[in-house]
Amino acid sequence: MRRTPISLALGGGGARGLAHLGVLEEMQAAHVDIQHISGVSMGGLIGAMYAFDPRPDRIRQRALDYLLSDEFSGPQRELLKARSFSDDTPPGGLFSWYHQVYEYLKNHHLLSRISLRQSLLPGYLLEDAVNHLLPAADIEEAVIPLTIVAADLHTGRRVLLETGDVRSAARASAALPGIFPPVVRDDMLLCDVGVVDSVPILPDRRQDCVKVAVDVSGDIKPLRDCLTTLDVLMRLLEISEVNVRQMVLPHADLVISPEVGDVEWYDFSSADVLFAAGREATRTALRDFPPPLSLIGRLWNRLFADRHVTNATSPPSTPSDATWTTSSGK
């Protein structure tokens, strides 16, 4: 794949997204030609870091420095000390993420935030992380073309952020609904769409490239019971995300799936394990990927197979195509 142009889609998954750094390191070692990056949630943040500074060793060190800083490690320790909501809660999923935050707020007598505020955690925590990791720059200044994906709560549409302030775009894409407050950008109210659409494969972007998707979401795990309204809503979100992901992933030419499913969304203490999982999964995927002639055939079909189709009322090729909006947000 050394001379094959790649469009890379980096999925969401909280702390599991640190595996993207290992993926990028291995791709650089294999001389993979990344021509475009799309990312959602943590994938949007890591993708933006790499798009502005395509040196995996440097962005990995920058991420580690921040994870070890007092600004991050203090709140992280407090969150990890919160007791699990229930012994029946399966580890690693979105369900567990929300329950851990719930327990943290209960332990600190802050449960009123659930009904009185837009989010369980204050926005400055996410803003501080983004400001440490990304430059104050416009998305169009990136070395590698970049698309950050979010959801607009006003219109109900998925938004593709390709111009404007990269920091606000990354915050919007990582603003997990209910956990962090949504981000105002132009006339939009943006949040993380990764909870239902976790791998941002964009069929109409860079059709000359091989589509490579990195999925760090993990599989859904059995749950014994749903005891509260929040339980039911969060479980339905998990189910929706898994079903949408199963429909979207076949649109990629190659899917890389690091073994990170047992890592909690909120647990950033296993960074080295996640880096290694990303590298190993990428090394295996690239080794087993079809040879260049097969890639040429795929690209030829993508570019020319539909030229004789004249039915203008054909349905979109993926469930999300009809709801894409490209924003020039600031």
Side-chain angles (χ1 to χ4, degrees), residues 262-273:
D262 289 331
V263 176
E264 299 284 5
W265 276 41
Y266 52 81
D267 184 4
F268 288 83
S269 64
S270 303
D272 288 338
V273 173

Side-chain angles (χ1 to χ4, degrees), residues 67-81:
L67 292 177
L68 295 174
S69 69
D70 291 339
E71 293 92 339
F72 181 84
S73 60
Q76 170 76 358
R77 283 193 300 269
E78 288 297 314
L79 184 59
L80 289 175
K81 283 193 299 186

Side-chain angles (χ1 to χ4, degrees), residues 155-176:
T155 64
R157 293 179 179 272
R158 184 168 76 159
V159 179
L160 308 183
L161 304 171
E162 298 179 322
T163 62
D165 175 41
V166 68
R167 286 177 171 176
S168 67
R171 282 195 293 115
S173 184
L176 193 64

Side-chain angles (χ1 to χ4, degrees), residues 279-297:
R279 293 202 66 153
E280 178 60 30
T282 305
R283 190 179 303 117
T284 300
L286 294 180
R287 183 186 63 223
D288 297 339
F289 198 55
L293 286 178
S294 296
L295 298 180
I296 292 173

Side-chain angles (χ1 to χ4, degrees), residues 50-64:
Y50 185 80
F52 277 87
D53 185 12
R55 290 280 303 275
D57 55 335
R58 292 205 306 210
I59 64 172
R60 172 177 174 169
Q61 189 58 53
R62 193 184 315 145
L64 283 173

Side-chain angles (χ1 to χ4, degrees), residues 234-313:
M234 293 306 102
R235 187 59 169 178
L236 185 58
L237 274 179
E238 281 195 316
I239 294 169
S240 299
E241 185 279 322
V242 169
N243 280 275
V244 171
R245 182 159 33 108
Q246 289 174 346
M247 290 187 288
V248 168
L249 286 179
H251 290 273
D253 299 303
L254 174 66
V255 177
I256 300 173
S257 301
E259 295 291 335
V260 296
D262 289 331
V263 176
E264 299 284 5
W265 276 41
Y266 52 81
D267 184 4
F268 288 83
S269 64
S270 303
D272 288 338
V273 173
L274 293 165
F275 295 153
R279 293 202 66 153
E280 178 60 30
T282 305
R283 190 179 303 117
T284 300
L286 294 180
R287 183 186 63 223
D288 297 339
F289 198 55
L293 286 178
S294 296
L295 298 180
I296 292 173
R298 287 169 183 260
L299 294 177
W300 179 271
N301 289 336
R302 184 179 294 139
L303 290 171
F304 300 109
D306 295 331
R307 283 199 168 187
H308 299 294
V309 177
T310 59
N311 183 1
T313 62

